[in-house]
């Protein structure tokens, strides 16, 4: 960790309505793009100056981020963007498994062609993005597919929790695409989920969602193990074994 590093320049913009919400979005975007590096100490005063706002909305936005583990506030010094630990990723996906498998079970109790059409639109758009190699756009539609299932299940709290958990995971960096699987591979994992929802096949829908989330979790844990030194590389035997051990321990 370095001390009081001057953050890279943000593009100042007018902040209507809630300043804290706008600052939150700007900081989140900076984390996603890598403009704010993990494990580096940033000054709240300098961020406020670059965004052309007072320190209060910056502090409020950071407090919101700290609640979900995105940043750690260092008293009287600033804040640090946190890297998710391998076990933290496993815990996040254990929660997602509980919420999203339950959601897909509910929406697939009867054939649901209307929801299926909505989800297929997201898959279609993600396919276009995958063809272009546009990861940001691909994962925007990946989010819309998962969020569409949660919305249809009717549990808004679960929906918000999953959205927040996805935000925490995104800080890890460049997803799993390009390192351990392609965008097309991810897209193929979505297909059986949607097909089962359309046909009203509850068990296959649950199994497909569980397989998709478990696979994603293991790959991200491997990636985090490599970052934290628990595995030599993402796909090394040590990394794979460490990821499976962490996942098994969290799931019990």
């Amino acid at each position: 960790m370095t001390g009081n590093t001057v953050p890279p320049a943000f593009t100042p913009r007018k902040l209507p309505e809630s300043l804290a919400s706008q600052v939150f979005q700007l900081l989140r975007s900076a984390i996603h793009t890598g403009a704010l590096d993990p494990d580096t100490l940033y000054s709240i005063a300098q961020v406020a100056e670059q965004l052309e706002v007072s320190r209060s909305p910056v502090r409020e936005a950071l407090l919101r981020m700290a609640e979900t583990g995105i940043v750690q506030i260092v008293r009287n010094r600033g804040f640090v963007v946190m890297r998710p630990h391998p076990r933290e990723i496993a815990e996040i996906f254990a929660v997602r498994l509980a919420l999203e498998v339950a959601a897909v079970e509910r929406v697939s109790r009867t054939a649901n062609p209307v929801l299926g059409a909505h989800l297929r639109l997201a898959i279609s758009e993600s396919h276009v993005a995958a063809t272009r190699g546009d990861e940001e756009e691909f994962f925007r539609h990946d989010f819309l597919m998962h969020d569409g299932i949660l919305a249809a299940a009717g549990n808004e709290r679960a929906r918000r929790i999953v959205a927040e958990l996805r935000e925490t995971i995104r800080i890890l960096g460049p997803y799993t695409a390009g390192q351990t699987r392609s965008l097309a591979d991810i897209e193929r994992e979505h297909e059986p989920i949607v097909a089962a929802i359309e046909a009203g096949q509850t068990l296959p829908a649950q199994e497909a969602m569980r397989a998709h989330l478990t696979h994603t979790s293991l790959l991200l844990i491997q990636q985090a193990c490599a970052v934290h030194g628990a595995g030599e590389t993402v796909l090394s035997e040590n990394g794979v074994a460490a990821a499976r051990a962490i996942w098994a321990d969290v799931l019990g």
Side-chain angles (χ1 to χ4, degrees), residues 17-213:
E17 300 178 4
S18 170
L19 285 173
S21 294
Q22 292 294 324
V23 170
F24 178 90
Q25 295 296 333
L26 290 171
L27 290 176
R28 185 173 64 177
S29 177
I31 292 169
H32 289 170
T33 61
L36 290 175
D37 295 321
D39 304 324
T40 299
L41 182 64
Y42 291 105
S43 164
I44 292 175
Q46 290 167 341
V47 169
E49 181 179 350
Q50 290 187 2
L51 293 177
E52 299 180 353
V53 298
S54 70
R55 298 180 192 184
S56 293
V58 176
R59 289 195 187 97
E60 187 177 337
L62 289 171
L63 285 171
R64 179 179 166 191
M65 289 180 158
E67 288 177 355
T68 55
I70 296 175
V71 303
Q72 179 181 1
I73 297 174
V74 183
R75 186 176 177 82
N76 298 325
R77 296 185 66 192
F79 68 96
V80 178
V81 177
M82 303 300 292
R83 292 183 189 273
H85 188 273
R87 185 177 179 87
E88 182 182 5
I89 293 171
E91 290 172 352
I92 284 172
F93 272 88
V95 174
R96 286 192 61 184
L97 268 177
L99 296 178
E100 296 192 61
V101 171
V104 82
E105 185 274 333
R106 181 168 184 174
V107 301
S108 62
R109 289 174 185 170
T110 59
N112 200 333
V114 174
L115 175 59
H118 172 74
L119 300 178
R120 286 204 176 277
L121 178 60
I123 289 180
S124 175
E125 293 295 334
S126 66
H127 177 76
V128 173
T131 302
R132 294 199 307 264
D134 187 339
E135 286 191 10
E136 282 295 325
E137 186 66 9
F138 179 91
F139 282 103
R140 187 173 77 84
H141 291 290
D142 173 271
F143 168 80
L144 291 175
M145 194 213 77
H146 284 270
D147 185 63
I149 293 170
L150 288 160
N155 189 328
E156 285 300 311
R157 185 174 293 274
R159 188 180 178 189
R160 288 195 300 272
I161 289 171
V162 170
E164 289 175 358
L165 292 176
R166 287 177 66 105
E167 285 300 326
T168 302
I169 287 295
R170 285 193 65 183
I171 296 168
L172 181 65
Y175 311 104
T176 58
Q179 296 194 53
T180 49
R181 59 178 174 177
S182 69
L183 296 177
D185 291 335
I186 299 171
E187 183 186 343
R188 280 191 288 271
E189 291 180 15
H190 291 161
E191 170 60 33
I193 299 172
V194 177
I197 290 171
E198 288 175 320
Q201 298 175 333
T202 299
L203 186 58
Q206 291 176 290
E207 290 175 344
M209 179 64 81
R210 185 177 292 108
H212 172 52
L213 291 177

